[in-house]
Amino acid sequence: MNERPPIATILALGLTQIIGYGTLYYSFSILAPDMARDLNWSTEWIFAALSAALLLGGLSAPVLGRAIDHFGAGRVMTAGSAIAATALVACAYAPGKAGFITALIVIEVAANLVQYGAAFALLVQASPRTAQRSITYLTLIAGFASTIFWPVTTLLHTHLSWQNVYLVFAGLNLLICLPLHAWLSYGLARGEAQKHSSTAQTIEGCLAPESRPLGFMLMVVGFSLQSLVSAAILVHMVPLLSGLGLGATAAIVGTVFGPAQVLSRFTNMVLGGNLPPLTLATVAAALIPGGVLILILSAPSVVGAMAFALVFGLGSGLFSIVTGTLPLMLFGSDGYGRLQGKVMAARLTVSATAPFALAFAIAHIGTMWSLTITTALGALAVVAFLSIAHLQRYESSLAQKAEV
């Protein structure tokens, strides 16, 4: 009998993911210029601070992953909302550069506690057998984070200082996300009690134990390269398009990205239900650098920039899904939180330098060369996922020979 995904859980997580990504990630590029001015830094150095925070936040991910398995994702996300709100307030009131960087580091640690990695683990813990569908539904809702929060942040910033914008965002995390995560934690705890009174349902991974170390390494390389490109482009999306001569239309072009993410997730939900996560991962790995290539070849065309945002958004939308479903398919549901922690650590450690690196590269070798290098790195992710497919075929051939 087919189980139904936990719709109420998905809807609640969808709202908290929109707020979590919008307040802790997408808003930064809009507020960064004024942050740099107030701290008497260049824009490059403000993004260097973000890169350092992402790096240290990434190094904490394995510990957070173990905490998710031990305490439950709901409790971890509840604590994460409180930490996120506190860190945003601390960032707003930071007396100087050292205080600002410290608060920014705590923000990135909190982000790991409340964003996709923890949310996917909650869905796996709540219902392992429906987790793949649940993750697709969740990313469909959360795809509106950039579409909502880029213009919202811009609008707020026309009336408020960046410090006051962060105070508003702290309120959203404290008054909306924290109660929802606490409610989800309570429901998950009740579900765990019911599981212990019956037979627990788990998902087995499709990779053989002897192939898992190589499969994990290839998966992490693929995800890390995609994260590198995504982090570099997304953090700089609006200023990057402005720098290519799109001017005031940059923000409008940027709003294509969010709906494109939703479109890819909706298409996958309706038409791609039978496509394995590895196929989706390979498609996403091709679309992300493909979108950047379109931008390189078409700039400063507005139509070309719209096409870039569309293709890049399609790839990013699928990427968000497969970061949750591919580890589940390859390695199973047992210890999923710990596994996600390791994947997040590798991804964030590699991609932490992306915002600063792209800002530095644009300033010294120009936008076009910077984007060309970014595209080449992104294309290598396709090779990593094709290698996993080859590994699966090799396992299958060995199994067939053993049967003969």
Side-chain angles (χ1 to χ4, degrees), residues 37-379:
R37 185 198 64 207
D38 288 353
L39 293 167
N40 197 26
W41 268 348
S42 68
T43 303
E44 288 178 20
W45 281 109
I46 205 72
F47 282 109
L50 175 62
S51 293
L54 286 167
L55 176 61
L56 293 173
L59 293 176
S60 71
V63 176
L64 302 179
R66 289 193 293 272
I68 286 171
D69 280 340
H70 183 73
F71 297 107
R75 291 174 182 170
V76 169
M77 296 185 79
T78 303
S81 294
I83 295 170
T86 303
L88 286 167
V89 172
C91 201
Y93 285 111
K97 296 176 182 178
F100 176 85
I101 293 174
T102 301
L104 198 59
I105 291 170
V106 179
I107 285 174
E108 294 310 322
V109 172
N112 291 335
L113 294 171
V114 299
Q115 291 177 349
Y116 274 156
F120 293 162
L122 190 148
L123 292 173
V124 170
Q125 290 174 358
S127 178
R129 292 192 297 187
T130 64
Q132 289 198 20
R133 277 186 293 157
S134 298
I135 288 171
T136 300
Y137 298 154
L138 175 63
T139 57
L140 180 66
I141 299 169
F144 287 103
S146 61
T147 305
I148 293 171
F149 269 87
W150 273 331
V152 164
T153 304
T154 301
L155 178 62
L156 286 174
H157 197 35
T158 59
H159 301 286
L160 303 172
S161 66
W162 70 266
Q163 291 95 336
N164 287 332
V165 173
Y166 262 16
L167 293 179
V168 172
F169 289 168
L172 293 178
N173 281 276
L174 187 64
L175 300 177
I176 298 178
C177 296
L178 190 149
L180 285 174
H181 289 153
W183 172 70
L184 291 171
S185 177
Y186 173 74
L188 192 59
R190 289 184 61 191
E192 285 296 319
Q194 292 173 0
K195 282 181 185 178
H196 287 306
S197 64
S198 60
T199 304
Q201 300 294 332
T202 59
I203 300 296
E204 297 295 331
C206 67
L207 280 182
E210 60 271 16
S211 299
R212 291 190 175 188
L214 177 58
F216 181 78
M217 183 192 72
L218 290 170
M219 182 184 72
V220 167
V221 168
F223 282 166
S224 297
L225 289 170
Q226 287 178 285
S227 294
L228 182 71
V229 177
S230 295
I233 300 300
L234 287 176
V235 170
H236 292 284
M237 175 79 83
V238 174
L240 178 66
L241 295 175
S242 298
L244 289 173
L246 290 159
T249 63
I252 300 174
V253 172
T255 59
V256 174
F257 171 76
Q261 287 191 106
V262 175
L263 176 63
S264 66
R265 294 162 186 169
F266 181 77
T267 303
N268 174 62
M269 182 180 69
V270 175
L271 303 176
N274 295 324
L275 289 178
L278 186 56
T279 301
L280 293 178
T282 307
V283 172
L287 288 173
I288 289 175
V292 182
L293 182 61
I294 290 172
L295 186 63
I296 293 171
L297 298 176
S298 64
S301 165
V302 173
V303 174
M306 298 279 280
F308 145 73
L310 176 63
V311 174
F312 190 85
L314 291 172
S316 182
L318 293 178
F319 175 50
S320 297
I321 296 172
V322 297
T323 55
T325 59
L326 185 59
L328 184 63
M329 184 200 81
L330 295 178
F331 306 104
S333 60
D334 187 35
Y336 181 84
R338 184 174 65 255
L339 182 67
Q340 275 286 8
K342 292 179 180 178
V343 173
M344 287 169 59
R347 283 175 50 201
L348 292 175
T349 300
V350 171
S351 65
T353 58
F356 173 71
L358 184 58
F360 184 87
I362 289 172
H364 291 84
I365 64 174
T367 300
M368 287 301 181
W369 274 110
S370 301
L371 292 178
T372 300
I373 294 171
T374 302
T375 302
L377 290 172

